[in-house]
Amino acid sequence: MVLETVPRVLGIAAGIVAMAAGAGAAAGLGGQLAGVLVAVLLSTVWIRRSVGRGRRWRTDRRIGEILAEQRHGVFSSVLSSGYASLPVVIIGALGLPYLPAYAVVDKLQKQIFVASTPFMSVVQGWLPTGGSDRVRDRLGRVVLMTSVYSCVLTVVTIVAAPTLIEWLGAGTVEVGPVAIVLLGLIAGAAIADATLSRVVLVAVGQFATMTRSTAVGSVVGLLMVGLLGVTVGLEGALAGVLLGLAIRIAWAGFAIGRQRRRDERNPAGSPSMANGT
């Protein structure tokens, strides 16, 4: 909070103040960059001091070996980032006329997701604590909490989206009611997918499942973005994104349910040691 979040927020605020005073967009970007650099510097100094002066900074293992061991997490992160950024690129590459409207909707969805990540962080910190028995007992509650939170977020997004889109688009972008509903569903599905995949599946050791569900859902979703985006329009592109997320959520939900049944048959087993399939 102190070393990383506060410097970044102050940098962004400084950039906004500078632009409001008449500076160009470069001032806003410069403020963000300065905040990030200060955060990195402060964090680095704190880390070096916390491990003691004079200690050698080295590792007996190569970076490639470490990345290979964490391949599921790395691969899933890359796919998730690509899935979040590629739909607007696909629509732009296809030269579809509703690109400005999709760009505004996409930006709003990403902002809602970022604002919702504290929920995922809380679950990530709470679920694994207390050993494998606690993880087993808390799985059902986490799934229920995630479902409720996603539904509430969907409704809130649908209600607030028209006003937010008008504001973000400066009144120049029009989005129909079907697209608004799809935006709300995507907002709820995105946080559900992230929580179930990156938090719950990781907590029960289903790393391979996380990778496979992310890969299949991303590929299918991007293909449908292009296909439905051309044939249906803005609503089709959003439906393609939602379909990919739905596949990932269904896959993760099936794996979590199977893990719970496996734990019920073998109470002595540890879910954190389960093999992802």
Side-chain angles (χ1 to χ4, degrees):
M1 178 67 183
V2 175
L3 302 179
E4 197 270 343
T5 303
V6 171
R8 292 180 64 175
V9 171
L10 291 178
I12 294 173
I16 292 174
V17 171
M19 289 189 294
L29 295 173
Q32 293 184 54
L33 177 61
V36 171
L37 292 178
V38 171
V40 171
L41 177 62
L42 294 177
S43 299
T44 302
V45 171
W46 186 90
I47 292 171
R48 292 186 66 90
R49 288 184 175 180
S50 67
V51 299
R53 295 181 179 179
R55 179 174 295 184
R56 294 182 60 189
W57 288 65
R58 66 180 182 84
T59 177
D60 295 329
R61 306 168 64 197
R62 296 181 179 180
I63 296 296
E65 296 176 353
I66 298 175
L67 291 176
E69 286 187 359
Q70 303 296 325
R71 61 189 181 278
H72 293 300
V74 173
F75 190 57
S76 297
S77 297
V78 171
L79 286 174
S80 296
S81 298
Y83 192 68
S85 59
L86 284 178
V88 69
V89 175
I90 293 173
I91 294 172
L94 293 174
L96 300 176
Y98 54 83
L99 175 61
Y102 186 89
V104 173
V105 170
D106 181 65
K107 179 64 176 178
L108 177 58
Q109 186 272 318
K110 290 178 180 176
Q111 290 178 333
I112 293 173
F113 177 81
V114 172
S116 304
T117 51
F119 170 81
M120 185 173 64
S121 300
V122 169
V123 175
Q124 189 174 35
W126 176 69
L127 178 60
T129 57
S132 59
D133 291 339
R134 288 289 183 89
V135 172
R136 186 184 301 110
D137 294 337
R138 291 173 177 176
L139 279 180
R141 278 182 284 175
V142 167
V143 173
L144 177 60
M145 287 171 13
T146 302
S147 302
V148 172
Y149 184 82
S150 299
C151 291
V152 172
L153 184 62
T154 296
V155 174
V156 171
T157 300
I158 292 174
V159 172
T163 301
L164 295 174
I165 290 175
E166 183 179 2
W167 176 59
L168 289 174
T172 62
V173 176
E174 293 185 3
V175 178
V178 175
I180 295 293
V181 172
L182 288 171
L183 168 61
L185 293 173
I186 291 172
I191 194 66
D193 167 60
T195 303
L196 295 178
S197 298
R198 305 179 201 174
V199 178
V200 180
L201 289 181
V202 170
V204 298
Q206 296 278 358
F207 301 104
T209 300
M210 175 183 65
T211 302
R212 293 192 186 100
S213 64
T214 303
V216 174
S218 298
V219 171
V220 173
L222 291 176
L223 289 175
M224 296 308 294
V225 166
L227 178 61
L228 296 178
V230 171
T231 57
V232 179
L234 173 61
E235 292 79 4
L238 293 172
V241 174
L242 181 60
L243 176 61
L245 291 172
I247 292 173
R248 288 155 58 160
I249 292 171
W251 199 319
F254 176 79
I256 293 168
R258 183 174 56 184
Q259 181 66 50
R260 291 193 66 188
R261 292 190 296 271
R262 182 184 302 167
D263 292 337
E264 290 173 357
R265 292 193 301 267
N266 182 26
S270 171
S272 63
M273 298 301 292
N275 293 320
T277 56

